[in-house]
């Protein structure tokens, strides 16, 4: 059950505080209320990179009157179920700093885009043709119940701009699908907190090379996030970005707004001593998910294992539709675990995530639900 997964993830989230990178503490409730925009004072800047000072202070939060004013500017079709609601008005008002006219325009642009693109049904054709094309998927949730996306460049073979755009949209939509509010508007709000509406992204740069220094790929992410998924990125972990990434960072950092920069953490994975990375992750994830992420990164640095590894949405679909008790689902799980370096890690997702998906096909996007049928 998704609600039980959220409660399990958020046991520690109802604490009065959560540490930031400088060791200070600040309210988890305000983290969620601010879309987790202020959950860190900002990342260490890569060598040779200059950035402007980040603004401090409480982030703007719309009033009910302002949200109502936005909704009143929209037409009947814009307010149909699945289109714009108060939560969307809230996000776009935050993204525009309370500029009602600009927020309404951006909402209309996004609704028009969603009608033409139908993002919930976008299928990554590259992954259908070759499951090794991309390695970016939702794998769990953090202490605030926000879906966690994990990606690793070493396991992705496809660098086509349009293919990556489609895969990114599909992943974002799957993250939204897993948010408790997507199924129950009253769910996903711990004491004193707003609804879960953002995600956490752990981007593992292992395997990053010069071919990845394509600003078009970075621009896709920035444009999608700003135009159609504002206030959705809660926290962004950049794990082991190489020196060559500094060039790309210089090119794109000037397009990243200061609030988004505050959400980014640069941290390294080290084979011998991962105490710093583990300590950082432990401030955002429970022990089980922290262990899963560290084990996943370790496995992905095993060249032989990585070369044979691919994320199977078909197996995830079977877990959701048939349940883990089904013989073929159980057999696939055992095979995945045996292939890991520790012989017990399941790269399909954290234990809590797989428990939530087990027997719950509605948690997956429509086209992912159908994959299990396609294999029959």
């Amino acid at each position: 059950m998704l609600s039980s997964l959220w409660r399990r993830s958020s046991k520690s989230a109802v604490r009065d505080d959560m540490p930031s990178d400088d060791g200070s503490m600040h309210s988890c409730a305000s983290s969620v209320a601010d879309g987790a925009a202020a959950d860190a004072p900002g990342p260490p800047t890569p060598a040779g990179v200059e950035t402007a000072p980040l603004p401090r202070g409480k982030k703007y939060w719309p009033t009910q009157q302002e949200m109502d004013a936005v909704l009143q500017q929209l037409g009947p079709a814009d307010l149909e179920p699945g289109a714009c609601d108060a939560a969307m008005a809230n996000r776009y008002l935050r993204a525009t700093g309370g500029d009602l006219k600009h927020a309404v325009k951006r909402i209309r642009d996004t609704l028009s885009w969603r009608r033409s693109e139908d993002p919930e049904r976008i299928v990554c054709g590259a992954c259908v043709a070759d499951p090794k094309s991309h390695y970016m998927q939702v794998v769990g949730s953090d202490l605030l119940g926000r879906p966690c996306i994990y990606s690793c460049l070493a396991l992705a073979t496809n660098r086509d701009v349009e293919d990556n755009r489609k895969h990114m949209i599909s992943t974002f939509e799957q993250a939204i699908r897993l948010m408790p509010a997507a199924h129950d508007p009253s769910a996903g709000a711990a004491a004193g907190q707003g609804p879960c509406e953002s995600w956490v992204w752990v981007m593992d740069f292992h395997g990053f090379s010069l071919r990845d220094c394509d600003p078009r790929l970075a621009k896709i992410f920035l444009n999608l996030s700003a135009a159609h998924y504002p206030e959705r990125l809660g926290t962004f972990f950049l794990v082991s970005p190489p020196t060559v990434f500094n060039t790309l960072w210089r090119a794109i950092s000037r397009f990243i707004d200061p609030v988004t920069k505050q959400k980014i953490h640069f941290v390294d994975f080290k084979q011998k001593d991962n105490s710093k990375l583990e300590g950082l992750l432990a401030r955002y994830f429970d022990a089980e998910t922290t262990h899963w992420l560290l084990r996943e990164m370790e496995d992905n640095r095993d060249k032989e294992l990585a070369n044979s590894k691919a994320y199977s949405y078909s197996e995830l679909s079977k877990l959701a539709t048939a349940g883990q008790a089904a013989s073929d689902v159980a057999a696939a799980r055992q095979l995945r675990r045996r292939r890991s370096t520790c012989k017990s890690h399941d790269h399909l997702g954290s234990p809590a995530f797989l428990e939530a998906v087990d027997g719950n096909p509605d948690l997956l996007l429509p086209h992912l639900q159908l994959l299990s049928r396609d294999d029959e």
Side-chain angles (χ1 to χ4, degrees), residues 316-330 357-360:
L316 183 68
S317 179
K318 287 182 178 178
L319 172 65
T321 54
Q324 62 179 351
S327 58
D328 55 342
V329 173
V357 173
D358 179 17
N360 290 291

Side-chain angles (χ1 to χ4, degrees), residues 129-185:
D130 179 5
K132 292 185 178 182
S133 294
H134 302 113
Y135 201 81
M136 173 188 180
Q137 54 274 339
V138 180
V139 298
S141 60
D142 74 348
L143 292 173
L144 298 180
R146 299 177 297 183
C148 173
I149 296 170
Y150 173 80
S151 61
C152 182
L153 290 164
L155 277 70
T157 61
N158 185 296
R159 297 299 190 272
D160 180 81
V161 173
E162 179 60 14
D163 288 345
N164 277 270
R165 186 187 76 89
K166 288 183 176 179
H167 189 89
M168 190 176 296
I169 291 173
S170 182
T171 304
F172 289 169
E173 291 295 320
Q174 180 58 64
I176 294 171
R177 183 89 169 191
L178 286 163
M179 294 175 185
H183 306 272
D184 179 3

Side-chain angles (χ1 to χ4, degrees), residues 44-366:
T45 303
V49 178
E50 296 182 1
T51 58
L54 298 178
R56 297 293 180 180
K58 186 174 178 61
K59 190 181 178 186
Y60 160 77
W61 188 260
T63 65
Q64 185 63 51
Q65 184 178 9
E66 289 172 318
M67 290 186 284
D68 290 342
V70 167
L71 297 175
Q72 289 169 8
Q73 295 291 318
L74 301 174
D78 297 333
L79 300 175
E80 292 178 353
C84 183
D85 56 14
M88 184 176 186
N90 185 306
R91 287 194 303 275
Y92 280 72
L93 279 168
R94 278 183 280 152
T96 58
D99 186 330
L100 188 149
K101 184 177 180 180
H102 192 197
V104 170
K105 181 183 183 304
R106 288 182 58 179
I107 287 173
R108 285 173 174 159
D109 289 344
T110 290
L111 293 177
S112 176
W113 174 79
R114 293 189 70 86
R115 292 183 187 108
S116 63
E117 289 268 3
D118 198 5
E120 286 190 342
R121 298 184 181 278
I122 283 182
V123 177
C124 178
C127 286
V128 173
D130 179 5
K132 292 185 178 182
S133 294
H134 302 113
Y135 201 81
M136 173 188 180
Q137 54 274 339
V138 180
V139 298
S141 60
D142 74 348
L143 292 173
L144 298 180
R146 299 177 297 183
C148 173
I149 296 170
Y150 173 80
S151 61
C152 182
L153 290 164
L155 277 70
T157 61
N158 185 296
R159 297 299 190 272
D160 180 81
V161 173
E162 179 60 14
D163 288 345
N164 277 270
R165 186 187 76 89
K166 288 183 176 179
H167 189 89
M168 190 176 296
I169 291 173
S170 182
T171 304
F172 289 169
E173 291 295 320
Q174 180 58 64
I176 294 171
R177 183 89 169 191
L178 286 163
M179 294 175 185
H183 306 272
D184 179 3
S186 65
Q193 299 178 351
C196 169
E197 59 177 3
S198 60
W199 54 68
V200 178
W201 187 351
V202 180
M203 178 180 282
D204 189 348
F205 275 78
H206 177 62
F208 186 92
S209 63
L210 285 174
R211 67 173 178 164
D212 296 301
C213 288
D214 186 344
R216 294 177 301 168
L217 294 174
K219 189 176 180 181
I220 286 174
F221 163 65
L222 294 176
N223 288 346
L224 279 174
S225 297
H228 305 306
Y229 298 96
E231 301 297 314
R232 288 297 196 182
L233 179 64
T235 306
F236 200 5
F237 298 93
L238 305 186
V239 181
S240 298
T243 303
V244 69
F245 176 71
N246 288 349
T247 302
L248 181 59
W249 180 255
R250 290 191 190 97
I252 66 174
S253 61
R254 58 197 175 99
F255 298 109
I256 304 175
D257 67 88
V259 171
T260 299
K261 284 183 180 178
Q262 288 183 306
K263 305 175 185 181
I264 303 174
H265 302 262
F266 289 85
V267 64
D268 288 329
F269 178 93
K270 298 181 179 179
Q271 293 286 0
K272 293 184 178 180
D273 181 10
N274 259 320
S275 56
K276 183 176 180 180
L277 173 58
E278 183 175 3
L280 177 62
L281 293 176
R283 297 208 295 267
Y284 292 85
F285 302 95
D286 62 27
E288 189 176 62
T289 305
T290 295
H291 176 78
W292 185 93
L293 286 166
L294 291 171
R295 175 59 65 182
E296 177 71 9
M297 294 180 208
E298 183 175 343
D299 275 9
N300 292 341
R301 282 157 176 75
D302 183 303
K303 190 171 183 179
E304 183 177 352
L305 175 59
N307 286 339
S308 64
K309 190 174 178 181
Y311 193 86
S312 176
Y313 287 97
S314 175
E315 291 178 9
L316 183 68
S317 179
K318 287 182 178 178
L319 172 65
T321 54
Q324 62 179 351
S327 58
D328 55 342
V329 173
R333 180 191 179 198
Q334 289 302 317
L335 180 59
R336 292 192 303 270
R337 290 165 67 97
R338 285 199 301 269
R339 285 177 174 172
S340 70
T341 55
C342 67
K343 308 303 180 184
S344 61
H345 175 74
D346 189 343
H347 70 265
L348 211 59
S350 69
F353 171 70
L354 298 183
E355 179 183 326
V357 173
D358 179 17
N360 290 291
D362 288 344
L363 296 186
L364 301 184
L365 292 172

